[in-house]
Amino acid sequence: MGTRKKVHAFVRIKPTDDFAHEMIKFRDDNKSIDIHLKKDTRRGVVNNQQTDWSFKLDGVLHDASQDLVYETIAKDVVSQALDGYNGTIMCYGQTGAGKTYTMTGATENYKHRGILPRALQQGETNRIIASHTMNKNSSRSHCIFTIYLEAHSRTLSDEKYITSKINLVDLAGSERLGKSGSEGRVLKEATYINKSLSFLEQAIIALGDQRRDHIPFRQCKLTHALKDSLGGNCNMVLVTNVYGEASQLEETLSSLRFASRMKLVTTEPAINEKYDAERMVKNLEKELALLKQELAIHDSLANRTLVTYDPMDEVQIAEINSQVRRYLEGTLDEIDIINLRQIQEVFNQFRVVLSQQEQEVESTLRRKYTLIDKNDFAAMSAVQKAGLMDADGHLVGEPDGQSFGLGIAPFSAKPGKKSKSKKAFKEPPSASSRKEGASSPGSVKDMETLSISKTQLVTYAKDGEVKDMLLRDRETSSIEPLPSDSPKEDLRPPRPSTPPSKPVAFEEFKNERGSEINRIFKENKSILNERRRRASETIQRINAIKREIDVTKEALNFQKSLREKQGEYENKGLMIIDEEEFLLILKLKDLKKQYRSEYQDLRDLRAEIQYCQHLVDQCRHRLLTEFDIWYNESFIIPEDTQVALKPCGSIRPGMVPVNRIVSLGEDDQDRFSQLQQTVLPEGPDSVSFYNAKVKTEQKHNYLKTAVSLQSAHRK
């Protein structure tokens, strides 16, 4: 990349007999121009109108000849274009101020020829002109003439060459409709000209502001065509043509302001180097032939046998595969090294043999064993219930010794107890075992902790029983509650008189009895957040790749259109493209490959996020359910009611609504007793008397009922 440099801006004053010497003055450095404007007395005594302006440019051309203009403005740009730098010379100013004369000149006299002599004569015949009060031959369109240069070395073996272009821009003049007096079609053309020049000035202002990220090049065709020239890889020179008369002083100020803004724009010119693909291929082929000859000379000097450096065929690859197999079996002591291709193919065949052996081992294991995926929670839970795996996930060998398993045997597995182990394997899981199996809701963290193999082995003889248990476990896994792990009644702490608030009790529950459920919930949630973060990063990478693809497509389309304009070249029926277009095609192909890979990763992450979200919701539901049960058992349900419930039943106290449990055992007699104690006279002795009387009546009624039942049974 080249160094950044500012745009050069010059001002050329049109010669006139009525030059405003009092209002326009030049300094001694011949680079500054001062404008003085008299105050308008019609605005009154208090008049804050600005009257003085000073503009510092790169040069002021006053009463300058065409030769001096070319030497000052265009000579360096053209010289650097021959060295591979792009260049642009643009004339801007009021209509009739001498832009076309500066750029094209006059054909009547050789001395009056402009920057673009003769070459613009053919294009000038198709340019529309019109007449108005400001200019008799006013150009009604912008003219951009581009010269393309391409310099090759005289040495045919040098594939590098340089290219450049020179843009010579003659803008249509800006005009005030009140002064030009345009009407009809000329008025409409003037409107479009002023509009395009306004868009050009907006682009210049945006380029001069370092804080602006977006440059409005697409507002009109003029700014889009000058996109490379304005602030790009180009040496930019601006010639501002102005009037020297007092009547045109306002337009002169406007043109000088435009020149000052243009000086704020920076460009970054660099040499445009390219490579001739056809010459490059020929040079590489020549170099390859020379290297082969040099290798042959080294082989002959070293008394080596004939060595071929061509790619290997199928027969040679099969021979190397046979050598590798015999080397691994031990029948071949060593493999002779011939050349680099043979070494690479030997390593490749080692990889092929290793892959085949892994497939054979896996197929052998599949024929003898049932493979269970570690990621399948239901399958792992069923294997643990069957006694084939301990709590740490290690497989346990069968005690009878008829088959085997991988892992560490639990402490309870002792030899000589075949009947118990078989019975424990064949019996259906009990309620307590189901609760123990459901204590882990399938943590995603456990799912990702992979061992050397991703599968576990279970003996084939038990395949049918394991599958039945898998089905039963999947049917009941969604409704099985987590283990309560409640302590014994005699170890339960005393109940407080006032139940705590549920938020406080929930924190206590998470730290004590629900700590395991809370731990699994937090792990699953952290894994879910990590997956979401990775998905967000993947989406950002996909968006960045998509934007880069769009930019590459736009550049490729521009190169194609440029090739079509310049003319397409064919060689033996094949289209010839330049290196820049070829590199863009390769870049677009790589970007599309990255986009597909990132998109597939995003789909996989979304599937994992959906599964993790399901596990998090399941853990949250079970955590809240267990908390409600624990809260009701610990603070709400009376202790005598809990004792009255069946201790080993399938219904736990916390699973029944509180109002139903509190009302268990309350009949009409109990409610009568409570009412009796409330309405009795205020006498403590009377309460004891009535209670004894009620119990005696209850005992009498019980005996009477028992006798009647016995007599009915005898009959």
Side-chain angles (χ1 to χ4, degrees):
M1 296 297 292
T3 58
R4 302 194 67 86
K5 56 187 297 187
K6 291 185 176 295
V7 173
H8 293 289
F10 297 88
V11 59
R12 186 180 188 185
I13 297 106
K14 183 177 181 180
T16 178
D17 295 334
D18 190 15
F19 187 80
H21 295 281
E22 297 180 356
M23 298 182 179
I24 303 176
K25 294 183 180 181
F26 311 109
R27 296 188 184 180
D28 296 336
D29 58 358
N30 204 26
K31 293 184 179 180
S32 302
I33 181 171
D34 298 331
I35 305 295
H36 175 72
L37 186 65
K38 295 181 179 180
K39 284 191 176 183
D40 189 0
T41 57
R42 294 174 297 179
R43 296 189 178 184
V45 179
V46 180
N47 187 358
N48 296 324
Q49 178 186 1
Q50 184 177 355
T51 57
D52 295 294
W53 292 266
S54 180
F55 300 94
K56 185 175 180 59
L57 305 172
D58 293 294
V60 177
L61 301 174
H62 180 53
D63 292 335
S65 63
Q66 293 285 68
D67 293 336
L68 180 60
V69 171
Y70 181 80
E71 291 288 332
T72 306
I73 296 173
K75 186 176 181 180
D76 292 340
V77 176
V78 175
S79 298
Q80 293 186 16
L82 296 176
D83 295 332
Y85 292 93
N86 297 332
T88 299
I89 301 175
M90 184 169 62
C91 293
Y92 175 88
Q94 183 185 2
T95 179
K99 298 182 299 300
T100 304
Y101 179 77
T102 301
M103 185 62 66
T104 307
T107 58
E108 292 82 3
N109 192 335
Y110 180 79
K111 294 182 178 180
H112 295 165
R113 301 179 72 185
I115 297 175
L116 179 61
R118 297 185 183 276
L120 196 58
Q121 183 174 359
Q122 183 179 357
E124 192 71 16
T125 57
N126 296 326
R127 195 175 184 192
I128 300 174
I129 61 175
S131 176
H132 53 73
T133 58
M134 298 294 297
N135 190 359
K136 192 168 54 167
N137 296 316
S138 175
S139 302
R140 310 310 294 165
S141 62
H142 306 297
C143 178
I144 302 176
F145 188 86
T146 304
I147 302 174
Y148 292 94
L149 302 176
E150 188 172 303
H152 291 265
S153 174
R154 293 183 178 180
T155 305
L156 296 178
S157 61
D158 190 1
E159 66 272 6
K160 184 172 68 173
Y161 64 98
I162 58 176
T163 62
S164 62
K165 62 180 179 179
I166 302 176
N167 295 318
L168 302 175
V169 184
D170 181 15
L171 299 175
S174 61
E175 57 186 77
R176 295 203 176 190
L177 301 180
K179 291 185 178 182
S180 63
S182 302
E183 296 179 354
R185 181 179 61 84
V186 180
L187 174 62
K188 188 175 182 181
E189 292 172 352
T191 303
Y192 286 123
I193 291 172
N194 291 338
K195 186 176 181 181
S196 63
L197 292 175
S198 176
F199 288 147
L200 174 62
E201 187 169 5
Q202 291 178 13
I204 297 300
I205 294 173
L207 287 169
D209 189 357
Q210 301 296 331
R211 298 171 296 179
R212 293 280 294 271
D213 295 331
H214 173 69
I215 310 299
F217 284 123
R218 293 181 174 271
Q219 287 185 330
C220 66
K221 293 182 179 180
L222 176 62
T223 54
H224 185 69
L226 297 177
K227 180 179 179 180
D228 295 336
S229 302
L230 301 174
N233 177 17
C234 183
N235 287 315
M236 180 71 181
V237 177
L238 174 69
V239 181
T240 305
N241 298 91
V242 298
Y243 276 99
E245 299 176 357
S247 59
Q248 308 296 334
L249 198 58
E250 293 183 1
E251 289 77 6
T252 300
L253 281 173
S254 178
S255 300
L256 291 174
R257 291 192 190 100
F258 181 85
S260 299
R261 296 190 186 101
M262 181 63 86
K263 280 185 62 64
L264 299 176
V265 178
T266 58
T267 61
E268 193 171 356
I271 298 178
N272 302 306
E273 294 182 349
K274 294 187 178 181
Y275 292 87
D276 190 344
E278 187 175 356
R279 287 188 180 182
M280 187 182 298
V281 171
K282 290 182 179 180
N283 292 338
L284 290 176
E285 290 177 350
K286 185 178 179 180
E287 184 178 358
L288 182 61
L290 292 174
L291 290 174
K292 286 184 177 180
Q293 293 177 3
E294 186 176 353
L295 285 174
I297 294 174
H298 281 286
D299 294 338
S300 62
L301 293 176
N303 294 326
R304 298 177 60 186
T305 58
L306 181 62
V307 179
T308 60
Y309 298 97
D310 297 329
M312 293 187 175
D313 54 12
E314 296 181 356
V315 177
Q316 293 173 334
I317 294 176
E319 177 63 25
I320 293 177
N321 182 274
S322 176
Q323 292 178 1
V324 169
R325 291 184 180 275
R326 285 186 283 124
Y327 178 79
L328 293 175
E329 292 172 359
T331 59
L332 183 64
D333 294 335
E334 60 182 14
I335 300 176
D336 295 332
I337 300 301
I338 300 176
N339 54 22
L340 182 60
R341 289 182 183 270
Q342 188 251 0
I343 295 175
Q344 294 176 346
E345 189 59 37
V346 167
F347 281 104
N348 185 33
Q349 292 303 318
F350 268 110
R351 184 168 59 245
V352 171
V353 172
L354 179 61
S355 177
Q356 292 176 355
Q357 290 180 354
E358 289 180 351
Q359 294 178 1
E360 291 175 0
V361 171
E362 184 177 355
S363 61
T364 303
L365 293 176
R366 287 186 180 277
R367 287 195 302 268
K368 191 173 181 181
Y369 305 104
T370 299
L371 301 182
I372 297 179
D373 192 355
K374 270 188 173 183
N375 300 334
D376 191 350
F377 165 71
M380 299 294 291
S381 177
V383 172
Q384 289 180 0
K385 294 176 185 177
L388 301 177
M389 182 182 294
D390 59 6
D392 297 331
H394 300 291
L395 288 172
V396 180
E398 291 187 348
D400 56 5
Q402 294 180 358
S403 58
F404 68 94
L406 301 178
I408 303 173
F411 183 78
S412 60
K414 297 180 180 179
K417 297 183 180 181
K418 301 179 181 179
S419 59
K420 287 186 178 181
S421 62
K422 293 182 179 179
K423 183 177 179 181
F425 181 81
K426 295 183 179 179
E427 286 181 356
S430 61
S432 61
S433 65
R434 286 198 303 269
K435 292 178 181 178
E436 293 174 0
S439 62
S440 177
S443 173
V444 183
K445 185 175 182 180
D446 298 334
M447 176 187 71
E448 290 187 338
T449 308
L450 300 177
S451 62
I452 299 177
S453 173
K454 293 183 179 180
T455 57
Q456 296 289 355
L457 304 178
V458 181
T459 55
Y460 185 75
K462 308 298 181 180
D463 189 18
E465 298 174 359
V466 173
K467 289 181 178 179
D468 294 338
M469 297 171 66
L470 290 177
L471 294 175
R472 289 195 299 271
D473 186 76
R474 286 193 177 98
E475 292 175 357
T476 59
S477 61
S478 61
I479 60 175
E480 290 175 355
L482 290 169
S484 60
D485 298 332
S486 59
K488 296 182 180 180
E489 295 296 333
D490 53 350
L491 299 178
R492 178 176 296 177
R495 176 181 296 184
S497 59
T498 302
S501 62
K502 281 199 171 185
V504 176
F506 186 64
E507 295 297 328
E508 180 183 354
F509 172 76
K510 289 192 297 184
N511 295 329
E512 295 180 358
R513 204 168 84 179
S515 60
E516 182 65 18
I517 313 174
N518 188 41
R519 181 188 65 81
I520 297 173
F521 173 75
K522 289 182 177 179
E523 290 178 353
N524 290 341
K525 196 169 182 181
S526 64
I527 295 173
L528 175 61
N529 294 333
E530 193 270 337
R531 293 294 188 278
R532 287 176 174 172
R533 179 187 60 79
R534 287 174 52 188
S536 177
E537 294 175 354
T538 305
I539 291 174
Q540 293 178 2
R541 290 196 299 270
I542 289 175
N543 292 334
I545 295 174
K546 182 61 171 61
R547 289 192 294 268
E548 193 170 357
I549 287 175
D550 294 338
V551 173
T552 306
K553 283 183 177 179
E554 182 180 351
L556 186 58
N557 293 332
F558 176 77
Q559 289 292 329
K560 289 181 179 179
S561 62
L562 190 62
R563 172 164 49 84
E564 292 175 357
K565 292 179 181 179
Q566 297 176 1
E568 298 179 345
Y569 299 93
E570 295 186 0
N571 185 11
K572 298 180 181 180
L574 299 177
M575 189 67 62
I576 298 177
I577 61 176
D578 58 2
E579 183 184 7
E580 186 174 357
E581 186 174 353
F582 178 73
L583 293 177
L584 286 174
I585 293 174
L586 293 180
K587 182 180 179 182
L588 183 62
K589 183 178 179 181
D590 294 338
L591 288 174
K592 288 183 177 180
K593 184 178 179 181
Q594 295 178 15
Y595 183 86
R596 288 192 293 268
S597 176
E598 294 290 345
Y599 188 76
Q600 183 62 35
D601 294 343
L602 180 61
R603 292 180 61 183
D604 296 340
L605 284 173
R606 284 177 175 173
E608 293 181 13
I609 288 173
Q610 185 177 3
Y611 178 70
C612 294
Q613 185 65 50
H614 171 71
L615 291 179
V616 169
D617 295 338
Q618 185 180 8
C619 288
R620 183 186 291 108
H621 175 71
R622 292 192 176 185
L623 181 64
L624 296 177
T625 303
E626 286 295 319
F627 169 69
D628 291 337
I629 295 174
W630 173 80
Y631 188 84
N632 292 335
E633 290 178 350
S634 302
F635 304 108
I636 304 301
I637 302 174
E639 296 182 358
D640 53 352
T641 304
Q642 296 186 29
V643 174
L645 290 175
K646 190 175 181 180
C648 298
S650 59
I651 301 177
R652 294 168 56 185
M655 299 173 64
V656 183
V658 179
N659 55 353
R660 297 286 303 276
I661 292 182
V662 175
S663 63
L664 290 177
E666 285 191 1
D667 53 5
D668 296 337
Q669 185 64 35
D670 294 331
R671 285 192 289 273
F672 173 75
S673 300
Q674 295 178 3
L675 180 63
Q676 188 180 38
Q677 293 178 6
T678 303
V679 301
L680 281 176
E682 296 183 357
D685 297 336
S686 60
V687 175
S688 301
F689 170 76
Y690 280 108
N691 288 338
K693 183 179 179 181
V694 169
K695 289 182 179 179
T696 302
E697 292 178 354
Q698 289 178 352
K699 185 177 181 180
H700 177 70
N701 293 334
Y702 172 77
L703 294 175
K704 184 178 178 180
T705 303
V707 172
S708 61
L709 290 174
Q710 290 178 359
S711 60
H713 181 68
R714 289 174 185 158
K715 293 181 179 181

